[in-house]
Amino acid sequence: MTDLNRDKVFQANLKRLMPIRNSIAHHSDKKISTQEYQQYWNQLKGILLFLGVTDEELDDIIHSHSSDSKMYIMNENVKKSIEIKLEGNNLLKEQKFLMAATKYTDAITLPGISDGDLSVLYSNRSFCYLKLGKYAQALEDAKLSKRLNPDYLKAYIRLGKAYVSLEKYDKAIKNFDKALSLDMNNDEIRQMRSDARKLKGLQERDNDQSIKDLSLKSRQKFKDMENRDELQKLLFNGNPALEHVWAGHEYRDDQNYYMAAECYKRAADMRSAEGMYNLALFMINGHGVSKDYPQALKLLLEVSKFDAFDKHNAPVVGVKEAEHSIALGYYEGSIAEKSIGLAVVWYEKAISHRNGMSANNLALMYMNGDGVVKNFKQAEQLFLCALNYGDPNAMDNLVCLYLASGNINKAEKWNEKSKKQGSKTARLKEKAIAQMRLKTNADISDVIDWEKELNLPFENMTIRERIFRKLSYEHPDKSEVLETLNDMERIRNKSDSVSPTRITRNGYKYDLELLAKRKDKSEFSNRMYLAVLNYMEAMDTFLSIAGRSIVLDNDSRSFIGRLAMCYKLEHFVGSMPIAIREDIRKHVLLLLSYSDRTVTHCENIDELAFNQDCRICHAVLNMQSDENMDFLTECIKKYPNNKFFLEIRGCLYNFIKKYEFALRDFNRIEEISKDDVDNLYHKAATLKLMGRNKQATDAFTKFLFVASEDHRKVPEAYYSMGLCSIANGDTDSIARHYGQGLNAEEKQIPFFLPYDSTSKEILELMLRNNGGLSKVKEKPVVKLADPLRKELIVNHRRGISDFGKIMSSDEHAKFNFTAKPSKSQSAPLSWVGLKPIYLNEINPTSDHVLDGFVLELTLITVPFNNNMSISFVAEDSNLNVQRVSLYNFDKRHILAIGAKISVINPYLRAAMDGKPLIRIDDPNSIIVSPHQIVDMCHYCGKGQSKYSCSKCRRAKYCSKECQVLDWKEYSHKLICIP
């Protein structure tokens, strides 16, 4: 049958349906007999079969609509239920929810109502119960609605809302997800899901309320001041934006959110960071303005571009708070798509600006292994950091951490501190601590007896550490095995951790000026220089065109060309700021679509080159996208000789462990460009992953022959060859390759130091356990990741620098001032019975003298005499840090970096800047040990350092990489005076 004839028959069958439909619709009676029903059905059956309905579907229809007696054209109960439902709907509009629920109940109880209609009725009654606060009943009705019609969108919305009301946010999110799967473009449901995610985050942290309470208390304190008006006038002088912000806070405290939002808008229009931040919060919570997550995120990202500190080094209110909110949004998936990696990056950025809540939240992630490798030490550092930055919630969380790590004594001490601060959960934790102590005493009774016999301290140790100490004492060989296993587990888990790009002060870690000086020394340095230059120019161009309509003009072509050149030279250089990454991705995608349409109709060489550049940018920017593999395959079909598409796809194949496919791509690149240095490395690494160790060693050797000695992969090539030697049983080569890797590190550009290599760590473990190679460095002590350490050291150095400037000016007479302490610190009459204490046992939020305790510290900064006290930063044996001020001490010449001191009855107080420090008033309460760390490295703290700063000649370093990092990370330039 031709298509034309088929169409004619189709139209004829449709015409046959019309009289059947009219006959039923206009039937003289409300019912039809079984005989009439059968006649109609026989007529319909043939038509339906022609129209494509299957026999199985016909059976379903006949069974669902047939009846042994009579079929009603309009069931009386159905009609009645519709009428009652409409009455209920009208009552809903009038917000008479109880009466509406009663109407829906009347309709539900009628017999003969279809499942679909019942589903709607239960859903509507569920809505009424939600409005009446009857959440359990609302949940039951929503469940019935879903059961009756599993594809009913509103059933899932009601379920989600009911679970939110019952604070079961995980279940709410799942139901909103299901609703979105039924209506993917529904922004209202997406908003509901975001709200549920936000509430879930608040529930898990349980910290926002206390912070709000503190804010309200401090504002009330200001309101109660007698000279409040004078202070306000002084604050607002020349700063109208601050006046609007302050007015907004007043309205907010009175819960007049509309007026508060108006004030924040005015401040935001004046580019006030605090005004923009508060307006964003109102957009997130729907206070005074409509909820608008995308616009809130945009505002927060804009605020994050502000300098976090003003010219006086005072915090700019709103910046660190915005960074924290962005991190929270990525973590929860509320105001942005969920991304643990980006959450960690933004939390770290906020912590670097003294945000205590960010430190607390990131610590929770490390404590629970939530998206990062579980690390109790890192969690402890961050909780202590949070306390120092003023977040009281960290105290309760520290108790949980010590319970989880098995350190009952610390858990008990911090729980006591928490109880004194008014914690609502301290009593519950007391029971958990008591139960755990009973169980622990039973489980490690032999360890406890052994410790008592040898009079060993255990207060600062976990259960695992105590057991390990006993094993090490009794069986040294076992301790080595256990230590190796622990290290191997840490290395194995390294790949699961989040390693965000380090955010430096200028937002970019590659110094173009330094590269310009090195570019003539090697091919790799020159490639790095050109890559960074192209990247920076690409970013400058993008910032000049961002915000305007995207067109295919010279600026857009320049942007794509330079960014693609950066990626082709050294793609890792192009790690762009988070705030603009998404904008750039969208920009590139649109330019790619323009370019694809252009090259379809022409063979212009320039247009083809531009199209390839667009595709390279798109592929790199979407490296982790599931669709990227298909996109790259399409690119390779279109441009088979473009080695960059092959390289990216080969690396992706390695990532998903399809090594044979990766090797095929790298072999193809070798045909195109025989001695491509990066391809030689990729091929060697792939062979190693495939277990072809002999071939891999040969390939690495070929790479090393071609590569510049400062190429960033040279050390890794040597370490990888060492691993291949292990697999080949060539133990003599392991130490040689390890040594070659160390030597190669010394020739690296400073950006790549300290050199991070899993292969290197595995080699070190093997060499250390096989007799100790002299070249194997000591196992690194993880302490430099502590954000508080960096902040205290940098601020100490800034204080020295600022003091020097003040003393050389006419302002020095005003500088000699210190606040009288609220408590008195002095040496005890007797030193008998003094107990050791550590910084992680001292509450930094409370002003108190620790009578009867001794705190042992090591100076990690140069002591600084400001004419009032001697100030320095010190660490304890657990590598926790705090600043110290020593008064009335006339033996200052015996104090130096690396000195070890014991402080009796230490006094923890809040200094004039509101931050904690250890204050020592009585010089008799300090003992300076004759044992000190000689020539202590100013960066990592190692002794016997052989390098000196070439400029000031005073700072010592154990390696050149420490010197570079001290300059970049700890701002050595502040105190580097010849």
Side-chain angles (χ1 to χ4, degrees):
M1 185 183 294
T2 65
D3 291 340
L4 182 61
N5 290 334
R6 187 182 298 277
D7 188 55
K8 287 180 179 179
V9 174
F10 182 82
Q11 294 297 328
N13 276 286
L14 283 179
K15 288 180 180 179
R16 287 172 60 197
L17 279 173
M18 294 305 295
I20 301 172
R21 178 259 173 203
N22 292 336
S23 178
I24 296 173
H26 303 293
H27 200 278
S28 58
D29 198 356
K30 292 182 179 180
K31 58 187 177 182
I32 57 175
S33 66
T34 305
Q35 185 179 359
E36 286 178 303
Y37 174 81
Q38 196 60 48
Q39 282 180 334
Y40 286 131
W41 175 247
N42 290 335
Q43 293 175 42
L44 284 169
K45 187 174 179 181
I47 300 171
L48 291 172
L49 283 169
F50 180 81
L51 292 175
V53 179
T54 65
D55 289 332
E56 290 82 4
E57 288 170 326
L58 286 174
D59 286 342
D60 289 340
I61 293 170
I62 194 71
H63 285 113
S64 62
H65 292 284
S66 63
S67 171
D68 291 333
S69 53
K70 298 174 181 179
M71 173 181 167
Y72 289 92
I73 293 173
M74 180 60 79
N75 184 299
E76 284 294 330
N77 285 341
V78 172
K79 282 183 70 177
K80 191 173 181 181
S81 74
I82 291 173
E83 291 170 2
I84 296 172
K85 186 181 82 169
L86 289 173
E87 291 175 18
N89 291 351
N90 290 329
L91 289 167
L92 269 186
K93 291 175 184 176
E94 297 172 14
Q95 297 190 10
K96 296 176 180 179
F97 302 117
L98 185 59
M99 293 172 68
T102 304
K103 287 292 180 183
Y104 294 133
T105 302
D106 292 343
I108 288 167
T109 54
L110 291 171
I113 309 299
S114 70
D115 287 352
D117 290 338
L118 277 173
S119 178
V120 173
L121 289 166
Y122 276 116
S123 172
N124 289 0
R125 192 171 72 174
S126 174
F127 178 79
C128 294
Y129 285 146
L130 282 169
K131 291 294 184 180
L132 293 167
K134 299 180 178 181
Y135 304 131
Q137 289 166 272
L139 178 63
E140 288 307 311
D141 273 4
K143 286 180 178 178
L144 284 168
S145 177
K146 185 193 83 166
R147 198 174 301 144
L148 289 162
N149 185 358
D151 294 322
Y152 185 39
L153 175 69
K154 285 189 177 180
Y156 294 100
I157 294 174
R158 304 284 187 255
L159 274 169
K161 287 187 172 182
Y163 279 124
V164 165
S165 301
L166 293 167
E167 298 184 6
K168 296 180 179 180
Y169 302 116
D170 279 326
K171 291 183 177 180
I173 292 165
K174 286 178 182 176
N175 280 284
F176 289 136
D177 282 339
K178 178 63 179 175
L180 274 173
S181 72
L182 295 172
D183 187 359
M184 296 179 66
N185 297 317
N186 193 314
D187 290 334
E188 189 178 352
I189 300 172
R190 190 169 280 105
Q191 178 85 38
M192 293 175 197
R193 183 182 65 177
S194 294
D195 290 342
R197 285 174 170 174
K198 183 171 178 290
L199 290 167
K200 178 176 179 280
L202 286 173
Q203 183 187 60
E204 289 172 347
R205 293 186 308 278
D206 192 25
N207 64 1
D208 276 47
Q209 190 57 48
S210 59
I211 297 299
K212 289 176 185 173
D213 290 344
L214 285 172
S215 173
L216 288 171
K217 283 177 185 175
S218 50
R219 286 190 53 70
Q220 189 59 47
K221 195 174 179 181
F222 181 85
K223 288 179 183 179
D224 294 339
M225 288 183 177
E226 293 180 6
N227 57 344
R228 171 191 169 190
D229 293 337
E230 293 177 20
L231 284 172
Q232 278 189 337
K233 188 176 179 181
L234 184 65
L235 281 169
F236 301 154
N237 185 29
N239 193 346
L242 182 59
E243 191 168 358
H244 289 309
V245 170
W246 199 273
H249 292 341
E250 297 276 359
Y251 283 121
R252 179 197 63 192
D253 293 350
D254 293 335
Q255 296 189 355
N256 187 341
Y257 295 130
Y258 174 78
M259 287 303 299
E262 289 299 310
C263 292
Y264 292 145
K265 283 177 186 175
R266 294 191 195 104
D269 290 340
M270 297 178 179
R271 300 292 293 166
S272 161
E274 189 174 3
M276 293 165 73
Y277 165 69
N278 280 284
L279 181 58
L281 286 191
F282 271 36
M283 289 176 175
I284 291 170
N285 296 308
H287 289 163
V289 292
S290 300
K291 276 190 179 182
D292 191 339
Y293 286 168
Q295 186 60 29
L297 179 61
K298 188 176 179 180
L299 262 179
L300 292 171
L301 289 169
E302 189 63 30
V303 177
S304 72
K305 297 175 186 176
F306 284 51
D307 289 333
F309 299 96
D310 63 18
K311 61 182 180 180
H312 304 297
N313 202 37
V316 175
V317 179
V319 178
K320 68 180 180 184
E321 293 83 0
E323 291 164 348
H324 175 76
S325 295
I326 295 167
L328 211 52
Y330 278 120
Y331 176 78
E332 295 170 343
S334 53
I335 62 173
E337 284 301 312
K338 189 176 181 72
S339 170
I340 294 295
L342 291 178
V344 172
V345 170
W346 281 102
Y347 275 141
E348 288 185 339
K349 191 171 184 181
I351 292 166
S352 72
H353 297 145
R354 290 188 58 83
N355 192 304
M357 289 190 293
S358 285
N360 181 66
N361 289 4
L362 188 55
L364 284 169
M365 291 172 70
Y366 277 111
M367 180 175 82
N368 299 319
D370 184 6
V372 294
V373 173
K374 187 178 286 189
N375 187 328
F376 286 157
K377 182 61 184 174
Q378 187 75 13
E380 182 189 47
Q381 285 183 342
L382 286 164
F383 281 137
L384 292 170
C385 183
L387 280 172
N388 275 280
Y389 292 169
D391 185 358
N393 300 286
M395 200 177 297
D396 267 341
N397 291 329
L398 264 175
V399 179
C400 296
L401 173 72
Y402 291 134
L403 281 172
S405 63
N407 196 325
I408 307 170
N409 296 296
K410 277 192 185 177
E412 194 167 41
K413 288 177 182 178
W414 277 103
N415 200 51
E416 282 299 314
K417 294 178 176 70
S418 182
K419 190 162 70 171
K420 288 177 183 177
Q421 297 278 59
S423 168
K424 298 173 184 177
T425 61
R427 293 199 179 278
L428 289 173
K429 292 191 179 81
E430 275 182 347
K431 295 179 181 178
I433 291 167
Q435 290 171 358
M436 189 173 181
R437 187 176 290 284
L438 284 172
K439 185 177 183 304
T440 301
N441 289 345
D443 290 345
I444 62 163
S445 57
D446 58 330
V447 175
I448 295 171
D449 293 341
W450 175 76
E451 288 171 341
K452 287 179 180 177
E453 182 184 342
L454 297 179
N455 196 26
L456 295 173
F458 57 85
E459 289 82 2
N460 206 40
M461 300 177 71
T462 65
I463 295 171
R464 181 189 177 111
E465 288 168 345
R466 290 166 70 183
I467 295 171
F468 183 82
R469 178 174 63 177
K470 184 172 183 289
L471 274 175
S472 300
Y473 180 82
E474 296 174 347
H475 308 285
D477 55 329
K478 286 186 180 180
S479 69
E480 288 176 12
V481 171
L482 284 171
E483 187 175 353
T484 300
L485 289 173
N486 286 338
D487 285 341
M488 288 299 292
E489 182 68 13
R490 175 180 57 79
I491 293 168
R492 187 182 67 79
N493 288 335
K494 221 171 143 186
S495 59
D496 298 328
S497 64
V498 174
S499 301
T501 303
R502 181 178 293 162
I503 299 174
T504 56
R505 268 189 188 201
N506 60 2
Y508 194 61
K509 66 184 286 189
Y510 303 112
D511 187 343
L512 189 65
E513 186 179 342
L514 175 62
L515 286 168
K517 294 175 182 177
R518 294 181 58 105
K519 66 185 178 74
D520 296 329
K521 295 183 179 180
S522 74
E523 181 187 351
F524 179 70
S525 291
N526 187 52
R527 282 168 61 90
M528 279 290 296
Y529 169 75
L530 292 173
V532 172
L533 180 64
N534 276 281
Y535 171 75
M536 288 184 167
E537 291 184 352
M539 291 301 101
D540 289 342
T541 305
F542 180 77
L543 292 174
S544 70
I545 61 178
R548 70 190 198 201
S549 299
I550 300 174
V551 292
L552 195 55
D553 58 7
N554 289 336
D555 285 339
S556 290
R557 288 179 183 276
S558 173
F559 164 66
I560 288 291
R562 294 193 178 282
L563 187 59
M565 181 57 70
C566 163
Y567 289 151
K568 286 186 279 190
L569 288 164
E570 296 296 343
H571 70 86
F572 62 89
V573 162
S575 67
M576 55 197 56
I578 301 164
I580 62 172
R581 185 187 301 159
E582 190 57 34
D583 289 338
I584 289 176
R585 190 182 287 125
K586 291 176 182 176
H587 199 100
V588 168
L589 181 60
L590 195 55
L591 290 174
L592 173 59
S593 65
Y594 290 159
S595 176
D596 279 345
R597 289 197 295 270
T598 303
V599 297
T600 303
H601 307 293
C602 78
E603 290 296 324
N604 182 284
I605 295 175
D606 291 338
E607 290 299 334
L608 290 171
F610 179 71
N611 185 253
Q612 290 177 72
D613 284 347
C614 285
R615 288 170 175 268
I616 288 170
C617 293
H618 180 77
V620 175
L621 288 167
N622 293 276
M623 192 70 82
Q624 296 181 350
S625 168
D626 293 336
E627 294 83 25
N628 209 15
M629 190 71 79
D630 293 336
F631 174 74
L632 285 164
T633 301
E634 178 206 327
C635 292
I636 291 165
K637 286 179 181 177
K638 190 174 181 67
Y639 302 106
N641 292 323
N642 189 313
K643 65 179 183 179
F644 301 105
F645 296 134
L646 289 162
E647 180 184 337
I648 298 169
R649 190 174 72 171
C651 292
L652 284 178
Y653 275 135
N654 271 339
F655 183 74
I656 61 175
K657 299 182 181 179
K658 292 188 176 181
Y659 305 129
E660 291 288 351
F661 293 96
L663 186 61
R664 182 189 62 191
D665 282 348
F666 296 137
N667 283 334
R668 174 71 184 120
I669 295 173
E670 197 167 16
E671 293 172 9
I672 298 169
S673 179
K674 186 176 181 182
D675 290 328
D676 183 290
V677 65
D678 290 328
N679 184 62
L680 290 173
Y681 177 80
H682 290 316
K683 181 177 178 180
T686 305
L687 289 166
K688 173 174 161 282
L689 290 169
M690 296 172 73
R692 301 183 188 178
N693 296 301
K694 179 65 173 67
Q695 290 175 269
T697 301
D698 293 341
F700 279 124
T701 303
K702 189 174 180 180
F703 160 75
L704 291 167
F705 180 76
V706 175
S708 304
E709 62 180 8
D710 62 348
H711 192 288
R712 69 188 183 100
K713 289 296 185 182
V714 167
E716 181 61 33
Y718 282 118
Y719 298 135
S720 295
M721 289 167 73
L723 290 186
C724 290
S725 299
I726 295 172
N728 292 332
D730 184 6
T731 54
D732 293 336
S733 299
I734 299 173
R736 175 166 57 83
H737 290 313
Y738 175 78
Q740 288 171 322
L742 289 182
N743 291 334
E745 283 188 32
E746 295 179 3
K747 297 170 184 175
Q748 287 288 292
I749 302 175
F751 308 135
F752 305 117
L753 298 173
Y755 200 80
D756 186 26
S757 166
T758 301
S759 303
K760 175 185 176 182
E761 290 187 52
I762 295 172
L763 290 179
E764 285 179 347
L765 279 174
M766 293 204 61
L767 292 168
R768 188 179 293 111
N769 292 322
N770 288 338
L773 181 71
S774 59
K775 275 206 159 188
V776 176
K777 297 179 180 179
E778 294 177 17
K779 288 169 67 175
V781 178
V782 180
K783 60 180 179 180
L784 301 175
D786 182 2
L788 182 62
R789 173 182 293 266
K790 178 179 178 179
E791 187 212 343
L792 294 183
I793 291 175
V794 171
N795 284 345
H796 176 75
R797 292 176 175 182
R798 184 175 288 117
I800 295 173
S801 175
D802 292 345
F803 181 75
K805 294 173 185 175
I806 291 172
M807 294 306 290
S808 62
S809 70
D810 295 333
E811 297 290 312
H812 68 275
K814 302 177 185 178
F815 193 79
N816 191 16
F817 174 76
T818 182
K820 185 178 179 181
S822 61
K823 294 181 172 55
S824 175
Q825 185 270 343
S826 61
L829 296 175
S830 172
W831 290 6
V832 176
L834 290 173
K835 297 178 182 178
I837 195 167
Y838 304 89
L839 288 172
N840 59 12
E841 297 176 323
I842 300 174
N843 179 7
T845 66
S846 173
D847 199 87
H848 59 295
V849 177
L850 294 134
D851 288 319
F853 290 95
V854 56
L855 175 65
E856 294 187 353
L857 299 170
T858 301
L859 279 68
I860 61 172
T861 61
V862 176
F864 159 51
N865 179 14
N866 60 20
N867 292 339
M868 297 171 288
S869 65
I870 300 172
S871 300
F872 51 87
V873 179
E875 69 179 12
D876 65 8
S877 58
N878 294 315
L879 307 179
N880 293 307
V881 296
Q882 192 52 272
R883 54 184 185 159
V884 181
S885 284
L886 175 57
Y887 291 83
N888 310 312
F889 192 75
D890 57 2
K891 298 178 182 177
R892 59 191 65 173
H893 61 281
I894 65 173
L895 288 177
I897 184 171
K900 295 179 179 290
I901 61 173
S902 297
V903 183
I904 317 298
N905 295 349
Y907 175 19
L908 191 289
R909 72 160 304 201
M912 289 180 63
D913 58 7
K915 303 169 189 175
L917 59 72
I918 301 293
R919 178 175 175 124
I920 306 165
D921 291 305
D922 186 349
N924 294 318
S925 65
I926 181 173
I927 304 169
V928 181
S929 171
H931 305 291
Q932 60 179 338
I933 301 176
V934 180
D935 292 334
M936 184 181 191
C937 177
H938 278 50
Y939 182 71
C940 73
K942 290 180 183 176
Q944 306 298 328
S945 300
K946 58 182 180 179
Y947 298 103
S948 297
C949 174
S950 58
K951 188 175 180 181
C952 68
R953 300 289 179 184
R954 288 187 293 275
K956 294 284 186 179
Y957 301 102
C958 64
S959 66
K960 291 181 180 178
E961 63 194 60
C962 277
Q963 183 175 358
V964 170
L965 290 169
D966 192 45
W967 185 273
K968 287 173 67 92
E969 298 290 323
Y970 288 174
S971 301
H972 173 66
K973 62 184 175 183
L974 290 169
I975 57 171
C976 189
I977 302 170

